[in-house]
Amino acid sequence: MPDTLRIVSFLPSATEIAFTLGLGENLVGVTHECDYPPEARTRTVVVRNVLPIETMNQGEIDRAVAERIASGQSLYQIDEEVLQRLSPDLILTQDLCQVCAPSGNEVSQVLNSLEKKPQVLWMTPRNLKEIEDNIRDLGVATGRAEQAEQLIAAGRARLDGVSEITKTISHRPRISFLEWLDPIYCAGHWVPEMIEIAGGVDRLGCKGGDSTRVSWDDVLQWAPEVLVIAPCGFNLEQVLEQVQPLLDRPGWSELPAVRSGRVFAVDANSYFARPGPRVVEGTELLAHLFHPEVFEWAGPSDAFSILR
C-alpha cells in the first residue's frame, strides 16, 4: 500500500476499523458522526445530516425520516466540492440502511461527479461474520491484511470465550433489545447474534435481518426479564434524555425487567449500532447485564446505566 493512499469514510464504523488497522494517517475525510477514536474528529467532514436531530425527539425523527425517504430525498448531504478537493483513492461506504449513512444510488451519483474515480469498498454487514469480512476486505485493500486477521482472531477468541461460558448456564433470560423507542423497533442484523452469545433469548429480534417495528403489546406479551434500551445513533447521555415516554407506557411497571430492576440504557453508538471492532465489547457488556454473577464489566463506566 502506498503511503500516499487517501481514504474517505462515509461510515463511523469504517472510520473506527481504519484507525484500528493503523490507517489513521491515510484517512483524510469522514462524516460528522465519526467520533471514535477521538482523533477522527480532527479529519475533514465530507458528509453531514440534513435533519437537526439534536433538537428532535425520537417520534419527530421517525416521522421526518419517513417523509424524506418516501419523497426520495436523502438524509445526508455529501459535500462534493470538498470530496473533489480531497481526491480520495478509496471510499468506504455502505448499502444497508438509508438512515445510517449515504447509500446506493446517492453514492453512485456523487462518484460519477468526481474527476478521479476512486476505488469503492462497500461495507454492508448483516451479521458478525460479515463484520469480520469487512475488516478483512479493508485490510486486503490497504495492505493491512495481517493486521486485519489479527484483529479478527482476537475478537473471535473473546466471543468464543463468552459463548463457552454461557453454554453452561442453565437459565437464559428473556431479553427485549429496543433499537428505537417511538415507534418501537426490535433488535436486527448482528445484535440478536450478540444476544445469543451473551446468554439471552430475544424472540422479538430479527437475526441477520432489518430491525422491524413491533408493538408495545408484543413487548408486554414477551415479558422480558432484561430490557436493554439502545436507540440507534445515540450515546448513553442521549439515550437517557429519550426514555421518559417509554416509562409512561401502560403496563411498564408490570414488566418483569422493571420489577427486578433490570432495565438498562446503553451506549448504542459505541457497542451496538456501529458494525466495527467494539461489537465484541458490546457482547461482553450484554453478558454482564444478563449474567452479572458470572461476567464482570471492566469497560468504561458510561457504557450503561440502570433505569430505576
Side-chain angles (χ1 to χ4, degrees):
M1 179 195 74
D3 292 336
T4 56
L5 181 75
R6 299 172 65 79
I7 303 173
V8 167
S9 171
F10 287 176
L11 295 167
S13 57
T15 296
E16 181 176 341
I17 295 170
F19 271 99
T20 306
L21 293 180
L23 297 165
E25 293 301 316
N26 300 93
L27 198 64
V28 296
V30 297
T31 81
H32 67 294
E33 294 178 328
C34 292
D35 56 9
Y36 188 88
E39 188 181 351
R41 296 179 182 271
T42 67
R43 300 303 189 263
T44 300
V45 173
V46 180
V47 179
R48 296 186 185 278
N49 199 324
V50 300
L51 295 175
I53 59 174
E54 297 82 4
T55 62
M56 303 167 71
N57 63 40
Q58 295 211 341
E60 292 168 339
I61 294 172
D62 181 74
R63 289 188 291 274
V65 167
E67 289 172 2
R68 291 192 68 88
I69 291 177
S71 62
Q73 295 178 289
S74 173
L75 301 176
Y76 294 89
Q77 181 178 9
I78 302 174
D79 193 323
E80 296 183 25
E81 183 177 335
V82 171
L83 189 61
Q84 191 82 258
R85 175 168 53 82
L86 291 176
S87 187
D89 303 297
L90 175 64
I91 290 179
L92 311 177
T93 189
Q94 59 97 45
D95 198 18
L96 177 67
C97 175
Q98 296 180 67
V99 180
C100 297
S103 61
N105 293 334
E106 179 184 359
V107 173
S108 299
Q109 290 172 7
V110 171
L111 295 178
N112 288 336
S113 72
L114 298 179
E115 295 177 5
K116 185 182 80 173
K117 304 304 179 185
Q119 177 186 355
V120 179
L121 186 58
W122 297 89
M123 308 175 80
T124 311
R126 291 184 174 272
N127 54 49
L128 294 178
K129 179 185 180 301
E130 291 177 1
I131 294 175
E132 294 175 349
D133 290 342
N134 284 173
I135 295 171
R136 180 176 293 111
D137 291 344
L138 181 55
V140 170
T142 59
R144 300 295 176 106
E146 182 177 351
Q147 292 92 328
E149 293 301 334
Q150 291 173 350
L151 178 60
I152 292 168
R156 177 51 56 184
R158 288 168 65 179
L159 292 176
D160 287 346
V162 173
S163 182
E164 285 303 310
I165 294 173
T166 57
K167 285 178 182 176
T168 67
I169 297 175
S170 58
H171 178 64
R172 300 173 72 89
R174 297 186 305 278
I175 312 299
S176 278
F177 188 103
L178 306 185
E179 291 196 5
W180 201 253
L181 307 181
D182 183 18
I184 295 174
Y185 276 75
C186 67
H189 302 120
W190 48 86
V191 174
E193 191 176 355
M194 297 168 67
I195 292 170
E196 287 184 6
I197 293 171
V201 178
D202 182 2
R203 290 183 181 165
L204 298 180
C206 298
K207 185 177 179 180
D210 294 342
S211 175
T212 59
R213 186 170 176 173
V214 297
S215 72
W216 179 241
D217 282 343
D218 291 332
V219 178
L220 293 177
Q221 291 175 16
W222 175 232
E225 297 167 273
V226 180
L227 182 59
V228 182
I229 302 174
C232 184
F234 288 76
N235 61 31
L236 179 61
E237 181 180 355
Q238 294 167 328
V239 172
L240 292 173
E241 293 172 353
Q242 298 282 340
V243 298
Q244 190 58 49
L246 185 66
L247 277 56
D248 293 336
R249 286 184 178 269
W252 168 262
S253 61
E254 301 307 312
L255 288 172
V258 176
R259 293 202 305 267
S260 63
R262 303 190 69 189
V263 180
F264 304 101
V266 298
D267 180 348
N269 267 351
S270 294
Y271 303 109
F272 303 102
R274 298 175 180 178
R278 287 187 293 170
V279 296
V280 173
E281 290 176 73
T283 306
E284 294 171 338
L285 173 57
L286 291 179
H288 170 68
L289 300 181
F290 301 168
H291 305 286
E293 72 285 356
V294 178
F295 295 96
E296 295 184 357
W297 173 245
S301 59
D302 61 354
F304 73 97
S305 178
I306 303 174
L307 290 187
R308 302 190 186 279

